[in-house]
Amino acid sequence: MEGVHDMGGMHGFGAVPVDDVQLPFDEPWEGRTFGLFIAAGAAGARSGSIRPGIEAIAPADYLAMGYFERWARSLEAGLVDAGTLTVADIDTRVRTPRPPGRHAQDTNPKMAAGLAAALINHPRRPSGEDVPARFDVGDRVTVKRMAPEGHHRCPRYVRGVTGTVIRQPGGWPHASGDGPPEAVYTVRFEMGDLWGEDAEAGFLHLDLWERYLA
Amino acid sequence: MEGVHDMGGMHGFGAVPVDDVQLPFDEPWEGRTFGLFIAAGAAGARSGSIRPGIEAIAPADYLAMGYFERWARSLEAGLVDAGTLTVADIDTRVRTPRPPGRHAQDTNPKMAAGLAAALINHPRRPSGEDVPARFDVGDRVTVKRMAPEGHHRCPRYVRGVTGTVIRQPGGWPHASGDGPPEAVYTVRFEMGDLWGEDAEAGFLHLDLWERYLA
Amino acid sequence: MNDRPADAPHPASLRIEAIEALLVERGVITSDVVDTIIETYEHHVGPLNGARVVARAWIDPDYRARLLEDGTGAVGELGYGGAEGEHLVVLENTEAVHNVVVCTLCSCYPWPVLGLPPRWYKSAAYRSRMVREPRAVLAEFGTTLPEDVELRVWDSSAEVRYLVLPLAPVGAEARSEDELAGLVTRDHMIGVVR
Amino acid sequence: MNDRPADAPHPASLRIEAIEALLVERGVITSDVVDTIIETYEHHVGPLNGARVVARAWIDPDYRARLLEDGTGAVGELGYGGAEGEHLVVLENTEAVHNVVVCTLCSCYPWPVLGLPPRWYKSAAYRSRMVREPRAVLAEFGTTLPEDVELRVWDSSAEVRYLVLPLAPVGAEARSEDELAGLVTRDHMIGVVR
């Protein structure tokens, strides 16, 4: 979809809020959100993946929310969609908070250890698969005009722009989740071709599925 | 600027909230906002124009606000920028509301009548001025790539797209307010050239200043 | 967007009230001027103006020709014009062509002939979608356009303001101008209804 | 974004607490699993992993060559890998070239070597501006890039994750791997610092 999450090139967001914070979570609930998202996925208790769930957030809300608020919203949507919880369940529990009851003291060290291991399990080879590719390194390719409703990874700022293929890292199923692995290309664009005559000098690189290119 | 106000083509905003309301203001304060904006302009009490003031609203706020809330924000910014009021003046008055004091009973029937007449005063001729024009009706023109920080009227969805000039209504100073009148062209684009192979059939027309075109 | 209770004032309402009070106290403006501006657009300038223009065009071929040639001038003949109507272009619907108007960047609208824009015209949904999927949007207004009718969308975001001249009803020449004007709605002249 | 007092819980916090309680009660998950995931990214997976990769590359030319050829494999040699690092590409800074990474569409980031992304990497300002005015953004990090250095921005929004291999300090070969790793920061490996 063409959503507000596609921010490349926009004005109005001010200076970068540079800080030197090294910890991943500012508040404990952010860590819980992250951990629950992964644990619920491993337990088969939620459907969907993180990005489409986040992009489904209403545009004004998306912009007003922090990063882990969006994760929390995506997690909730996935749990509800899978039938694990209902919005009413959660609403009720928020209004009448109490500590977890049954199973509150349960632990599952085997699952915890397994999941921790899986998260940092290094693969034998890179994930890109060997697939047929229409374009070669060095080819000039133009990003198609499009306005897909489904989840995609083709930012608006490259539409209609021509660049050069500099790498073909492999094939992956398209971001929308459908179909077999499809060739992805790393394409180099000149900044001036993206932003016009006042652009800074330099190059912009983007990984694009074959379906986006002509 | 490239802001969230530039909505053409985006997803995520749902169905059109069709209604049959014929009155221009839903709540009295909306009418006051509109009237104050015009009256303050006529009194020379605010600077700026409506659109840049609205586009300066932070993106998340812009999307969360209603139409006349944006006008209210733009009005306030213009009054503050002109030195007529300070934000502190307004904040204080909001916290301690009381009816207007001095001059509350004043009227200015002459200004009211004059302004009402000016608002509906029909011009002798269309406002477009006769200016030199680089392109002729029938010419194919391509919208330049750009990312201007200032106020402009060139939506992102036509960048890099080629269309045909169908009219040259005249010249106006560019939207940013600078310089002499500059030719404006009404350009016709094919929907497929804007949105790709899945586009609906039809044509999209847009008035574009000469500086946007090549 | 607001979680306030139904009877609580909108926060912007309090702020605008404060601004008006301050401007009045300081002698910058008087409230009757504001009243008059509101009254102008609540009672005097609205779609009835446009409807009269359309009705005249339906019964008077010479006027129609002038209207399509110079919208500003022909609308002015009927006494209409002013703010946001400084350069009007009239778009002619035919059996083969349908026109519809939007402003993606804000909500530009031909005030002198239609008044201030309706709520939905100002909505993000209308602004974002009308340029990309106009037939789908028209369907939400109950308007189904035959496939063979050419659809022309006008994104009026610069200086020109657009008014759609709808198809005349059958037998228009035999009806009075007032009667015809009564048939023309705002939605016809924006183009969301055919 | 929130007007809540400093000591009030974030609304999302209450909601997440309710969700966890419900999932635990219903036997869907146990809280120790959540604890372990948090601990993994708070204590075990972070920029120190990437720093060790960089330090090794600085002192071992063969490793450097493997790293640039197959990032995933070479990082795996040091025991790092996993979620969001399934296909790593390492970008080599040189005297003539500087690389910097962003994700405009969300906040894609090479977790196994850098941990979870910093707050500013996830900000709308960084995401919107790094692809359009990278030198201006670098300046906000205190990084002024000579005009003759070629700037390469990588918008890592699909499947590949990118790690910047910074320029080695003078005399790197004479220093220990641990000492060198201590010089490498997260910001070097994103490319906002040179």
Side-chain angles (χ1 to χ4, degrees):
Chain A
M1 66 176 285
E2 314 288 90
V4 287
H5 68 282
D6 184 357
M7 293 182 169
M10 293 191 67
H11 291 100
F13 294 109
V16 177
V18 177
D19 65 41
D20 199 36
V21 175
Q22 298 289 328
L23 287 173
F25 309 115
D26 287 335
E27 299 191 35
W29 69 268
E30 298 184 344
R32 302 313 292 175
T33 300
F34 178 78
L36 282 165
F37 192 91
I38 290 174
R46 64 163 171 80
S47 60
S49 59
I50 183 73
R51 293 163 174 173
I54 285 177
E55 292 170 17
I57 298 170
D61 293 343
Y62 178 97
L63 290 181
M65 285 178 171
Y67 179 76
F68 285 110
E69 263 183 288
R70 295 179 197 139
W71 275 64
R73 188 70 78 86
S74 183
L75 167 62
E76 178 173 331
L79 291 166
V80 170
D81 188 57
T84 302
L85 298 178
T86 68
V87 173
D89 287 339
I90 305 168
D91 286 345
T92 304
R93 190 59 176 242
V94 168
R95 279 196 303 270
T96 54
R98 53 192 163 86
R102 200 162 59 93
H103 299 302
Q105 301 313 314
D106 287 3
T107 61
N108 191 340
K110 201 172 152 190
M111 185 183 179
L115 206 42
L119 282 169
I120 60 168
N121 182 38
H122 56 88
R124 300 210 165 274
R125 47 180 299 279
S127 63
E129 299 204 35
D130 202 13
V131 293
R134 246 180 81 201
F135 304 108
D136 292 320
V137 169
D139 281 359
R140 295 284 282 169
V141 289
T142 300
V143 183
K144 291 179 187 170
R145 297 279 162 188
M146 63 181 87
E149 285 197 57
H151 181 62
H152 68 82
R153 305 301 281 181
C154 182
R156 295 180 79 194
Y157 72 84
V158 294
R159 305 287 171 76
V161 185
T162 301
T164 304
V165 174
I166 64 157
R167 187 185 295 123
Q168 205 272 297
W172 287 267
H174 181 250
S176 49
D178 54 338
E182 173 181 322
V184 167
Y185 303 89
T186 305
V187 181
R188 166 182 299 201
F189 300 94
E190 289 198 31
M191 285 291 195
D193 290 341
L194 296 171
W195 312 112
E197 55 192 17
D198 297 330
E200 290 187 4
F203 297 93
L204 185 287
H205 306 76
L206 198 58
D207 296 311
L208 296 165
W209 267 276
E210 189 169 280
R211 68 181 65 186
Y212 306 152
L213 301 173
Chain B
M1 65 176 287
E2 313 289 269
V4 286
H5 68 282
D6 185 356
M7 294 182 167
M10 293 191 66
H11 289 100
F13 295 109
V16 177
V18 177
D19 65 42
D20 198 37
V21 175
Q22 298 288 327
L23 287 173
F25 309 115
D26 287 334
E27 299 191 36
W29 69 267
E30 298 185 345
R32 300 317 289 176
T33 301
F34 178 78
L36 282 165
F37 192 91
I38 291 175
R46 64 162 171 81
S47 59
S49 58
I50 184 73
R51 294 163 174 171
I54 285 177
E55 292 169 19
I57 298 169
D61 293 343
Y62 178 97
L63 291 181
M65 284 177 172
Y67 179 76
F68 284 112
E69 265 183 286
R70 297 180 195 139
W71 275 64
R73 189 71 77 87
S74 183
L75 166 62
E76 179 173 333
L79 291 166
V80 170
D81 189 57
T84 301
L85 299 178
T86 68
V87 172
D89 286 341
I90 305 167
D91 286 346
T92 305
R93 189 59 175 243
V94 168
R95 278 195 305 271
T96 54
R98 53 191 163 87
R102 200 162 59 93
H103 299 301
Q105 300 314 314
D106 287 2
T107 61
N108 191 340
K110 201 173 154 191
M111 186 182 178
L115 206 42
L119 281 170
I120 60 168
N121 183 36
H122 56 89
R124 301 210 162 271
R125 47 179 301 279
S127 64
E129 298 204 34
D130 201 14
V131 292
R134 248 179 78 200
F135 304 108
D136 292 320
V137 169
D139 280 0
R140 295 285 281 169
V141 290
T142 300
V143 183
K144 292 180 188 171
R145 298 277 163 189
M146 63 181 87
E149 286 197 57
H151 180 62
H152 68 81
R153 306 299 284 181
C154 183
R156 294 180 81 194
Y157 72 83
V158 293
R159 305 288 171 77
V161 185
T162 300
T164 304
V165 174
I166 63 158
R167 189 185 294 123
Q168 204 272 299
W172 286 268
H174 181 252
S176 49
D178 54 337
E182 176 181 321
V184 168
Y185 303 89
T186 305
V187 181
R188 167 182 300 201
F189 300 93
E190 288 196 32
M191 285 290 194
D193 291 340
L194 295 170
W195 312 112
E197 55 193 19
D198 297 329
E200 291 187 5
F203 297 94
L204 185 286
H205 307 76
L206 198 58
D207 296 311
L208 296 165
W209 266 276
E210 189 169 281
R211 67 182 64 186
Y212 305 152
L213 302 173
Chain C
M1 295 295 167
N2 298 290
D3 296 329
R4 64 189 164 119
D7 56 347
H10 193 290
S13 157
L14 301 175
R15 209 150 177 92
I16 277 297
E17 205 173 296
I19 287 172
E20 181 165 358
L22 288 163
L23 293 177
V24 165
E25 273 169 21
R26 296 182 185 186
V28 177
I29 57 148
T30 55
S31 283
D32 65 319
V33 174
V34 178
D35 297 340
T36 302
I37 296 164
I38 295 170
E39 195 188 297
T40 298
Y41 289 97
E42 278 190 335
H43 301 299
H44 305 306
V45 179
L48 192 53
N49 293 2
R52 290 198 184 109
V53 169
V54 168
R56 174 69 56 88
W58 281 347
I59 57 167
D60 179 344
D62 290 342
Y63 182 76
R64 182 190 188 93
R66 290 199 300 281
L67 184 67
L68 295 172
E69 172 66 27
D70 170 15
T72 324
V75 161
E77 287 179 37
L78 300 199
Y80 309 133
E84 294 296 313
E86 293 87 351
H87 195 112
L88 281 172
V89 167
V90 176
L91 307 167
E92 184 183 28
N93 281 355
T94 68
E95 292 297 337
V97 171
H98 183 80
N99 295 281
V100 62
V101 182
V102 60
C103 169
T104 57
L105 298 179
C106 45
S107 301
C108 295
Y109 195 73
W111 295 0
V113 280
L114 294 183
L116 300 185
R119 215 159 14 175
W120 53 258
Y121 186 87
K122 301 177 285 189
S123 70
Y126 187 78
R127 289 166 53 191
S128 61
R129 295 174 55 211
M130 184 47 94
V131 292
R132 178 172 49 76
E133 46 174 4
R135 284 172 194 263
V137 174
L138 288 177
E140 289 173 22
F141 285 89
T143 303
T144 310
L145 208 60
E147 278 302 319
D148 61 349
V149 172
E150 178 182 307
L151 184 53
R152 298 180 183 169
V153 181
W154 303 76
D155 184 358
S156 70
S157 43
E159 300 290 335
V160 177
R161 297 292 171 269
Y162 294 96
L163 180 75
V164 175
L165 175 59
L167 281 175
V170 179
E173 7 5 283
R175 296 164 88 167
S176 79
E177 198 171 324
D178 278 355
E179 193 188 348
L180 290 169
L183 301 175
V184 184
T185 68
R186 175 191 72 194
D187 292 3
H188 285 115
M189 295 179 282
I190 301 174
V192 291
V193 167
R194 183 163 165 90
Chain D
M1 297 297 165
N2 298 292
D3 295 330
R4 65 187 162 120
D7 56 349
H10 193 290
S13 158
L14 301 174
R15 208 150 178 91
I16 276 298
E17 207 172 296
I19 287 172
E20 181 164 358
L22 288 163
L23 293 178
V24 165
E25 273 170 20
R26 298 184 184 186
V28 177
I29 57 150
T30 55
S31 282
D32 65 319
V33 174
V34 179
D35 297 340
T36 304
I37 296 164
I38 294 170
E39 195 187 297
T40 300
Y41 289 97
E42 277 189 336
H43 301 298
H44 304 307
V45 179
L48 192 53
N49 294 2
R52 290 197 184 108
V53 170
V54 169
R56 175 70 56 89
W58 281 348
I59 58 169
D60 179 343
D62 290 341
Y63 182 77
R64 180 190 191 94
R66 291 200 299 283
L67 184 68
L68 294 172
E69 174 66 27
D70 170 14
T72 324
V75 161
E77 287 179 37
L78 300 199
Y80 310 133
E84 295 296 312
E86 293 88 352
H87 195 113
L88 281 171
V89 167
V90 176
L91 307 167
E92 184 184 30
N93 281 353
T94 68
E95 292 296 339
V97 171
H98 183 80
N99 295 281
V100 63
V101 183
V102 61
C103 169
T104 56
L105 298 180
C106 46
S107 302
C108 296
Y109 195 72
W111 295 359
V113 281
L114 294 184
L116 300 185
R119 213 160 15 175
W120 54 258
Y121 186 87
K122 301 178 285 190
S123 70
Y126 187 78
R127 290 166 53 191
S128 60
R129 294 175 55 212
M130 184 48 94
V131 290
R132 179 171 48 76
E133 45 173 5
R135 284 172 193 261
V137 173
L138 289 177
E140 288 173 22
F141 285 90
T143 303
T144 309
L145 208 61
E147 277 303 318
D148 61 348
V149 172
E150 179 182 307
L151 183 53
R152 298 181 184 168
V153 180
W154 303 77
D155 184 357
S156 69
S157 41
E159 300 290 334
V160 177
R161 297 291 171 270
Y162 294 96
L163 180 75
V164 176
L165 176 59
L167 281 174
V170 180
E173 34 323 314
R175 297 164 87 166
S176 79
E177 200 170 324
D178 278 355
E179 192 187 349
L180 289 170
L183 301 176
V184 183
T185 68
R186 175 191 73 194
D187 293 2
H188 285 115
M189 294 180 283
I190 300 174
V192 291
V193 167
R194 184 162 163 89

